[in-house]
Structure formats: C-alpha cells, structure tokens
Amino acid sequence: AVVSTQSTGGGLMLVGTSSMIFGAIDILRNDLLYGVVSFVLRGLQGVGCAATDTAVFAIASSRFNKHLGKVNSYLNSCMGLSFMLGPPLGGLIYEWTNFSLPFVFSALLCF
C-alpha cells in the first residue's frame, strides 16, 4: 500500500502541476510551440491520471477486499459523475472568467 499511496500523491501532483501550466499556455504565440507544449502537458496529465487511478483501485482492493464489488461500483460512479459534471462546470467558469481559471481550479482540486 505504500507504493500505491506514493503513486496517488505523485499522480495528483503531476496532474495538478500540468493543469496549472496548461492554464498559462495561452501566452504562447508560436503555433507549433503551442501545439507541442499542449500535447506534452496533456500527455503528462494522462500519465498522472493513470497512476492515480491505478493506485486508488489498488488501495481500495487491498483495504476493502470483502466488499470489492460495492467499492468498485462507488469509485466508478464517482468517476462517471466527474466526467459528467466537469465539462459543464469548466465551461461555466470559462464563460464567467477567463481561459486560465478552469485549469487553475482543477489544479487546486488536485493539491
């Protein structure tokens, strides 16, 4: 569980840091540089999410092995809910403020 806990913290830090940097990407004026940096940051977010998801499911399976089906369904329900609510809330924050604030807000949730 120690490795899983470290993966969770490291994954969240990677996602939060890359999201925070992504919020400032609109200062880049070169189209090629903008595309490359966007691609790299999104890749880092994916690696961080993969590490976090893997660690969360590993921790849940080791701690709640007698109720694994129920815990797994709760985790998947929370993920589905975040996939449904994230884009509309991010869109509202973007409409009410500016480009970078949705990324800053999601990064703060990771820290």
Side-chain angles (χ1 to χ4, degrees), residues 6-27:
Q6 290 173 347
S7 296
T8 303
L12 284 175
M13 289 295 288
L14 187 58
V15 171
T17 303
S18 57
S19 293
M20 189 77 74
I21 296 169
F22 206 90
I25 202 168
D26 61 339
I27 63 172

Side-chain angles (χ1 to χ4, degrees), residues 16-17 19 22-23 27 38 45 54 61 63 72 75 89 104 110:
T17 303
S19 293
F22 206 90
I27 63 172
S38 296
Q45 287 176 338
T54 303
S61 66
R63 298 230 173 128
N72 193 15
L75 289 173
L89 290 176
V104 171
C110 293

Side-chain angles (χ1 to χ4, degrees), residues 39-80:
F39 188 76
V40 168
L41 287 175
R42 189 62 186 113
L44 289 174
Q45 287 176 338
V47 169
C49 284
T52 302
D53 289 349
T54 303
V56 165
F57 282 105
I59 292 169
S61 66
S62 68
R63 298 230 173 128
F64 304 105
N65 56 0
K66 293 184 181 184
H67 305 287
L68 188 57
K70 187 182 285 188
V71 170
N72 193 15
S73 66
Y74 289 149
L75 289 173
N76 283 324
S77 296
C78 289
M79 285 175 52

Side-chain angles (χ1 to χ4, degrees), residues 65-108:
N65 56 0
K66 293 184 181 184
H67 305 287
L68 188 57
K70 187 182 285 188
V71 170
N72 193 15
S73 66
Y74 289 149
L75 289 173
N76 283 324
S77 296
C78 289
M79 285 175 52
L81 189 64
S82 68
F83 289 147
M84 287 189 311
L85 294 179
L89 290 176
L92 285 175
I93 294 171
Y94 173 76
E95 286 293 322
W96 290 338
T97 60
N98 58 14
F99 173 80
S100 62
L101 199 60
F103 297 104
V104 171
F105 182 73
S106 67
L108 291 176

